[in-house]
Amino acid sequence: QVQLVESGGGLVQAGGSLRLSCVASRRMFSIYNMGWFRQAPGKEREAVAAINYSSRDTRYADSVKGRFTISRDNAQNTVYLQMNSLKPEDTAVYYCNYLDVDYEPYSSWGQGTQVTVSS
């Protein structure tokens, strides 16, 4: 069974930092592109950051550029999202997923991890 397990969320004040983790169960994790997404209440899920299988290509939504950093540890089957200078508008449930060659998510979603940024 393919699983994605996100963790690391919490309540933080504006300007603070959090580091999210996502452990993936799929074999040969190192061949997959991975991404982080978020969904705020009443809004559609949106892409936040992506990283290719080798970590040579990273992409970010304009709203998080310069504040968030995506990385991965293929030996640990884990992808990370370091979030700095957090803003109240970053409040959302954050999810990770496998990405296809067009950087679109294609696996079942995990439970996500809640990030709440207070002003």
Side-chain angles (χ1 to χ4, degrees):
Q1 182 177 359
V2 174
Q3 283 189 316
L4 295 162
V5 181
E6 301 92 346
S7 64
L11 173 63
V12 63
Q13 288 188 333
S17 298
L18 285 172
R19 188 194 195 202
L20 306 184
S21 300
C22 168
V23 179
S25 67
R26 190 173 292 216
R27 291 181 181 180
M28 298 179 68
F29 172 78
S30 62
I31 71 172
Y32 296 102
N33 301 330
M34 298 295 296
W36 282 97
F37 300 78
R38 67 186 181 187
Q39 186 167 21
K43 295 187 177 181
E44 292 190 355
R45 188 154 22 208
E46 62 174 354
V48 174
I51 187 167
N52 80 329
Y53 66 96
S54 67
S55 302
R56 291 175 181 166
D57 181 29
T58 57
R59 306 180 184 186
Y60 298 93
D62 288 343
S63 58
V64 307
K65 277 182 183 176
R67 300 188 298 121
F68 290 11
T69 302
I70 189 170
S71 62
R72 64 190 295 161
D73 182 341
N74 287 342
Q76 300 295 324
N77 277 29
T78 302
V79 60
Y80 302 99
L81 186 67
Q82 177 67 44
M83 306 186 297
N84 299 328
S85 302
L86 283 162
K87 304 176 181 180
E89 51 264 43
D90 294 318
T91 295
V93 179
Y94 284 70
Y95 303 86
C96 65
N97 210 323
Y98 299 93
L99 304 177
D100 64 20
V101 294
D102 296 318
Y103 280 61
E104 293 293 329
Y106 68 88
S107 187
S108 300
W109 296 99
Q111 85 287 350
T113 186
Q114 175 71 49
V115 172
T116 303
V117 184
S118 62
S119 56

